[in-house]
Amino acid sequence: MSCFTCPPVILTGQEALSCSIPYLKSFGSRAFIVTGKHVGKSPMLADLQHVLETAQISSYVYDDITGEPTDTMIESGVRQYTESGSQFVIGIGGGSPLDAAKAIAAMSVNEGKISDYNGREITGEIPPLVAIPTTSGTGSEATKFTIITDHEKDIKMLLKGDCLIPKLAIVNSDFTVDMPKSVTAATGLDALTHAVEAYTSKKAFALTDTYAVSAVKRIMKYLPVAYENGYDGKAREEMSLAALEAGICINNSSVTLVHGMSRPIGALFHVPHGMSNAMLLKTCLEFALDGAYDRFADLARAIGAAAESDSDEKAAHRLIEEIEKLCQTCQVPTITGYGIDKEQFLASVEKMAEDAVASGSPANTRKTVTKEDCIRLYQSMV
């Protein structure tokens, strides 16, 4: 049996925010807004606050999410949520504020430290969550996951639970147009990673396959366009939909090797999640190919990179070639090109490999993945 979950309400399009008023009013009369400094000063937040005022909902803004969220940011947010007397949580921004909003909502009603929940299912009722993405990549608006850094252990914790799925997702691609090219690339390739891994995961099934193939097709066609011209409305709209689709996918069939190996790089070397995924894409997918030639071949044929007459093995390699071209178009750097010291990276390989395997994500790959495999793949990157 397969179980399919997603937000109960998803609003898309230019009128999504204004149409959200009836739903927002049902969540309470005081909202706790979680965001970062950039969005906190932007017209997007002003638009949100105007809608809340129209709905007669007061709000408190917590805009201290700088970079990817840490346990200390969450602790501060929980304290302010409680002191502000808020009744529900709105995350607006990229994946970091959305992930932080989930963690704050969860920890506002759960005992202990957030690290106590690493590897455990978070259950029970939490304050209603609203997610408003301003990037098109993480899919956090649709998922039951949140990634929070444990600053003491230098690991990225993957926290999960159906209660973390937002009650309302508001997806307006107009909010993504001012993303710089580097963020467009990193988030877009993050979404591509979600879709490819969800389709090739051991946990994939018919419903996730439909969303995954659709997302891959959109991203391969429109990410280069959005990267070159961020004001192309059609490309931004398609990328927002693709990120949403890919988020729904990983909510149900999960991720695999790329994500497992990506989180330790982000935790130790402070590389944004989407960028560390992009750096690993070719290396990890090539390793996984012979465990699922047929699945990778399906994606190659879906994007027109291979013919029906091509063998699955040949078609699968064509997909990797197209993904590599996309990474080149988006100017994805190497590990050392990003500025990470080679010797420091190699000295961290064993810990990263241990953390990758411990995350559980590599086990979803349709091929056995060992710690030694992860060590070898990390070493091949420099």
Side-chain angles (χ1 to χ4, degrees):
M1 185 194 80
S2 299
C3 179
F4 187 84
T5 58
C6 66
V9 179
I10 300 172
L11 302 177
T12 64
Q14 293 180 324
E15 304 303 319
L17 183 57
S18 60
C19 290
S20 69
I21 289 176
Y23 303 100
L24 295 171
K25 291 179 74 169
S26 72
F27 297 146
S29 59
R30 186 159 176 81
F32 187 79
I33 301 173
V34 181
T35 191
K37 297 297 184 186
H38 173 70
V39 174
K41 297 176 181 177
S42 74
M44 293 178 285
L45 182 65
D47 289 346
L48 171 59
Q49 290 179 308
H50 174 71
V51 166
L52 291 172
E53 288 168 5
T54 301
Q56 297 182 313
I57 298 170
S58 62
S59 62
Y60 180 95
V61 178
Y62 174 57
D63 63 358
D64 287 342
I65 308 303
T66 56
E68 297 190 345
T70 66
D71 48 3
T72 54
M73 293 180 196
I74 303 309
E75 289 166 6
S76 176
V78 170
R79 186 169 57 254
Q80 293 184 50
Y81 174 84
T82 302
E83 292 172 353
S84 68
S86 299
Q87 296 165 305
F88 67 103
V89 180
I90 301 175
I92 179 170
S96 294
L98 269 55
D99 277 3
K102 294 178 181 182
I104 290 168
M107 293 311 298
S108 72
V109 292
N110 281 286
E111 296 180 349
K113 298 189 298 183
I114 192 167
S115 57
D116 297 337
Y117 297 86
N118 188 21
R120 288 171 50 193
E121 191 89 7
I122 299 175
T123 59
E125 288 294 321
I126 68 172
L129 272 165
V130 180
I132 308 174
T134 63
T135 64
S136 44
T138 70
S140 190
E141 67 272 14
T143 73
K144 59 183 176 184
F145 306 108
T146 180
I147 298 174
I148 307 296
T149 297
D150 182 328
H151 78 283
E152 291 182 356
K153 296 181 180 178
D154 274 338
I155 60 170
K156 285 195 173 185
M157 301 179 290
L158 176 63
L159 310 170
K160 62 183 180 179
D162 285 348
C163 63
L164 298 180
I165 300 173
K167 297 293 186 187
L168 172 64
I170 301 172
V171 182
N172 179 356
S173 61
D174 286 354
F175 288 175
T176 71
V177 296
D178 70 342
M179 278 193 293
K181 294 181 76 169
S182 61
V183 178
T184 296
T187 55
L189 291 168
D190 189 21
L192 178 64
T193 307
H194 291 162
V196 173
E197 289 199 297
Y199 190 78
T200 58
S201 166
K202 289 178 181 176
K203 297 180 179 179
F205 57 100
L207 275 174
T208 59
D209 286 352
T210 299
Y211 281 89
V213 171
S214 176
V216 170
K217 289 168 68 175
R218 291 184 200 272
I219 295 165
M220 295 301 291
K221 181 175 180 179
Y222 288 103
L223 178 54
V225 181
Y227 181 75
E228 293 301 330
N229 177 13
Y231 293 96
D232 187 303
K234 175 66 172 175
R236 288 300 194 191
E237 181 181 17
E238 293 289 338
M239 285 303 301
S240 287
L241 291 173
L244 175 65
E245 289 174 323
I248 290 172
C249 284
I250 63 169
N251 207 35
N252 294 282
S253 58
S254 198
V255 290
T256 63
L257 180 59
V258 179
H259 273 73
M261 291 184 61
S262 173
R263 294 185 202 104
I265 294 176
L268 291 179
F269 298 101
H270 309 293
V271 180
H273 176 66
M275 184 56 67
S276 57
N277 277 349
M279 291 174 176
L280 283 159
L281 261 179
K282 180 175 183 290
T283 298
C284 290
L285 295 185
E286 281 186 335
F287 172 85
L289 276 189
D290 60 359
Y293 279 134
D294 57 335
R295 305 292 286 183
F296 286 102
D298 288 345
L299 295 177
R301 295 185 182 109
I303 65 171
E308 291 296 330
S309 57
D310 289 333
S311 68
D312 284 349
E313 181 176 353
K314 181 179 180 180
H317 282 287
R318 288 280 176 83
L319 175 69
I320 303 304
E321 290 171 5
E322 291 303 310
I323 290 175
E324 186 176 17
K325 289 179 186 176
L326 180 58
C327 288
Q328 290 171 349
T329 296
C330 291
Q331 298 180 300
V332 175
T334 62
I335 288 291
T336 53
Y338 188 81
I340 298 172
D341 180 77
K342 177 180 178 179
E343 297 306 317
Q344 188 179 0
F345 183 84
L346 290 174
S348 304
V349 160
E350 184 161 353
K351 172 179 168 49
M352 290 195 296
E354 288 175 356
D355 292 345
V357 172
S359 74
S361 296
N364 298 325
T365 308
R366 296 190 185 217
K367 178 179 179 177
T368 300
V369 181
T370 65
K371 173 185 169 182
E372 289 68 31
D373 291 325
C374 293
I375 288 173
R376 187 171 63 255
L377 292 171
Y378 278 132
Q379 290 172 335
S380 72
M381 296 176 66
V382 293

